[in-house]
Amino acid sequence: GPIEELSDSLKLVRSGGAALQPDRYQYDELHDMAADINQLSAEVDENLASLEKERARIDYVLDNMDEGLILLDAEETVLTVNRAACGFLGCDKSVTGKNIIYATRHIAFINAVDGAVQGAKTARVEMPLPSGALVEAVVSPVAGRQGQQAAAEAAIAVLSDVTIRKNAVKMRQEFFSNASHELKTPITSIRGFAELLC
């Protein structure tokens, strides 16, 4: 009976285990085993709390980034997604643990994920949003062990709002186009007058 109780407590160590009372056991060996199981259970609890705290800290940092970040495994399952990525893709964090198609149906983006996971290729994709904004997604493979190149073990997608940059480029191009057009007329006239004077 006592050995079965110790065994049952040992099976529950992952979830904290049942606190044993070593003094209840008649034999010194069982007394020591119960104390060791209690200590092991306490260490597991402490490690789990530490990991949970670290995960919460990482989630906080990721959720306060301006760029969207998605981490996918080799089966294209979403392992981590931050708030910015959810905003860009129009999904929520419940897509964690599901395939990428639950987060977006943007074909070019999904193809980029396929290429990163299966072909270990980095790809850039521009994704226009219904709001009129333009998002650029860079999907990169996470290299396999020992430089494996045939397929990646995971992929990382970083999404950035490039609307302002694209608009600035467009405005610069329009400015140069207009300036060159406006300057052509007076330069042609000056050239004609100069030829006439000559």
Side-chain angles (χ1 to χ4, degrees), residues 2-167:
I3 291 174
E4 285 180 3
E5 188 178 318
L6 291 175
S7 176
D8 290 342
S9 180
L10 204 52
K11 288 173 186 171
L12 295 171
V13 160
R14 183 183 295 175
S15 58
L20 299 170
Q21 298 171 349
D23 298 335
R24 281 183 46 225
Y25 298 103
Q26 179 178 353
Y27 302 103
D28 289 342
E29 293 84 3
L30 296 181
H31 183 278
D32 292 344
M33 282 179 66
D36 289 344
I37 289 173
N38 281 345
Q39 183 180 350
L40 181 64
S41 185
E43 287 175 4
V44 167
D45 273 349
E46 190 178 322
N47 288 337
L48 286 174
S50 175
L51 288 171
E52 198 61 41
K53 190 175 179 183
E54 189 66 29
R55 181 174 180 82
R57 186 181 298 130
I58 290 169
D59 284 345
Y60 177 78
V61 170
L62 292 179
D63 281 340
N64 285 285
M65 289 172 53
D66 289 335
E67 291 80 18
L69 185 130
I70 305 171
L71 177 63
L72 304 123
D73 67 10
E75 281 75 45
E76 299 179 18
T77 301
V78 177
L79 300 177
T80 302
V81 59
N82 71 351
R83 190 182 301 147
C86 289
F88 290 143
L89 299 178
C91 64
D92 56 43
K93 287 200 163 195
S94 64
V95 299
T96 304
K98 298 178 182 174
N99 192 280
I100 188 63
I101 61 170
Y102 287 91
T104 182
R105 298 295 172 92
H106 195 281
I107 299 300
F109 180 72
I110 292 171
N111 288 342
V113 170
D114 287 341
V117 171
Q118 295 170 11
K121 296 175 184 173
T122 299
R124 287 179 182 271
V125 177
E126 287 188 353
M127 302 165 58
L129 302 182
S131 62
L134 185 66
V135 171
E136 182 182 65
V138 180
V139 186
S140 306
V142 175
R145 293 182 188 89
Q146 299 173 348
Q148 178 183 349
Q149 291 297 320
E153 290 184 352
I156 294 176
V158 178
L159 294 83
S160 307
D161 188 341
V162 294
T163 311
I164 295 171
R165 192 176 75 202
K166 288 288 182 181
N167 287 344

Side-chain angles (χ1 to χ4, degrees), residues 174-185:
E174 287 177 356
F175 170 77
F176 283 120
S177 176
N178 290 338
S180 65
H181 177 72
E182 293 296 329
L183 288 172
K184 275 182 187 175
T185 306

